[in-house]
Amino acid sequence: GPTRLSEVEINDKVMVDINRYEPVYSFGHYSPDSRAEFLEISTSMSTLQVSRDHLVFVNNRQAVPASLIRVGDEVTDETGSKTPVTSIKNVVAEGVFAPFTPSGTIVVDNILASSYVAFEDSAFVTIGGIRWSYHWVAHAFGFPHRVWCYYLKTCPTETYAANGISLWVGKPHTWALRLLGQPALFRTGGLALLLATLLFFNVLEQW
C-alpha cells in the first residue's frame, strides 16, 4: 500500500511506472529533519510536494524541472492517465528525500516523477548543438553508482554529508555546476567529453 517517503528504506520496492516496481538502491538526498521550500503541485486527485529543480514528467512524458510546470500542464498518474495540474504554490515542509531506482523514475503521491534534478532551470542541456534531456544525462551519469550499489549490491548502507546529500552525488553535483559556469570554450569541451562518457555508460548498461 501507500508508504510515506520518510519510511522508505534501501531495498524497499516502490512503484516506478504502470504496474512496475523496483527496489530503491540509494538516496541522492536523505535529510528527514531538514525544513525546505517546495512547490506543491496539485491535480484533482493528488498533491505532490517537490523541489523546484526536481524533474517531473509532464504532457508527453517529458521530464521538466518542477519550476517550469504550469497550471494546465498534464502530469502522468500511476495508471498512466494524464491529469491536468490545477494549482501550484510554494510551501515549506520537513523532510527531503530523493530515492534512486534502477530506471530513474518513481511514482510519488500518484504522480510519475524522475529520481533526478535539473540545472539552469531547464529540461535540457545543449551539447554540440543538440539538446539532451537532463533526465537522460543524470541517469547515464549515475551508471557507476548503479553498478556498485544495484548490480553488485555492495551498498547496504550509505553515507551522507551534513546537508543530507549522498557522497555519491555531492562531488559530481558540484563538479557539474562548476563546468556549467565555465567560459563557453571550456564548457563546450567539458560537455563534449562528458557526453562521450555518458554514451559509453549507456551502451554498457544496455549491453
Side-chain angles (χ1 to χ4, degrees):
T3 303
R4 295 176 61 88
L5 274 181
S6 59
E7 298 172 351
V8 173
E9 299 179 351
I10 290 176
N11 294 323
D12 285 352
K13 286 193 173 182
V14 296
M15 180 179 282
V16 298
D17 210 328
I18 308 167
N19 296 322
R20 280 182 55 203
Y21 293 82
E22 294 177 350
V24 172
Y25 70 85
S26 176
F27 281 86
H29 200 158
Y30 187 88
S31 187
D33 299 322
S34 294
R35 291 186 65 79
E37 295 182 353
F38 297 93
L39 290 177
E40 188 171 272
I41 300 171
S42 298
T43 70
S44 61
M45 301 296 292
S46 58
T47 298
L48 171 68
Q49 289 184 351
V50 63
S51 64
R52 293 180 57 83
D53 56 355
H54 205 98
L55 293 162
V56 179
F57 293 96
V58 299
N59 301 328
N60 294 317
R61 292 182 67 130
Q62 176 185 337
V64 305
S67 61
L68 297 185
I69 297 176
R70 299 291 182 262
V71 171
D73 285 344
E74 292 181 323
V75 295
T76 301
D77 67 18
E78 78 280 8
T79 68
S81 300
K82 294 179 180 179
T83 306
V85 173
T86 56
S87 70
I88 302 172
K89 64 180 181 180
N90 295 297
V91 298
V92 175
E94 186 173 76
V96 183
F97 309 96
F100 284 177
T101 63
S103 63
T105 63
I106 185 170
V107 175
V108 180
D109 295 321
N110 300 321
I111 294 175
L112 181 64
S114 169
S115 294
Y116 312 117
V117 299
F119 299 128
E120 303 182 312
D121 206 30
S122 173
F124 303 94
V125 58
T126 301
I127 307 175
I130 300 174
R131 297 197 310 170
W132 300 83
S133 162
Y134 267 117
H135 174 76
W136 181 88
V137 170
H139 191 63
F141 196 82
F143 173 67
H145 190 181
R146 282 192 298 284
V147 168
W148 194 252
C149 295
Y150 174 63
Y151 294 115
L152 299 181
K153 303 186 185 304
T154 54
C155 299
T157 60
E158 284 197 305
T159 304
Y160 304 95
N163 60 1
I165 300 293
S166 166
L167 297 188
W168 278 99
V169 174
K171 289 184 178 179
H173 184 271
T174 300
W175 177 83
L177 287 175
R178 288 178 179 172
L179 175 60
L180 291 173
Q182 295 298 309
L185 180 61
F186 293 102
R187 171 183 165 123
T188 300
L191 287 175
L193 179 60
L194 173 62
L195 176 60
T197 304
L198 297 181
L199 289 171
F200 176 68
F201 286 165
N202 188 62
V203 169
L204 282 180
E205 188 159 24
Q206 296 301 319
W207 182 72

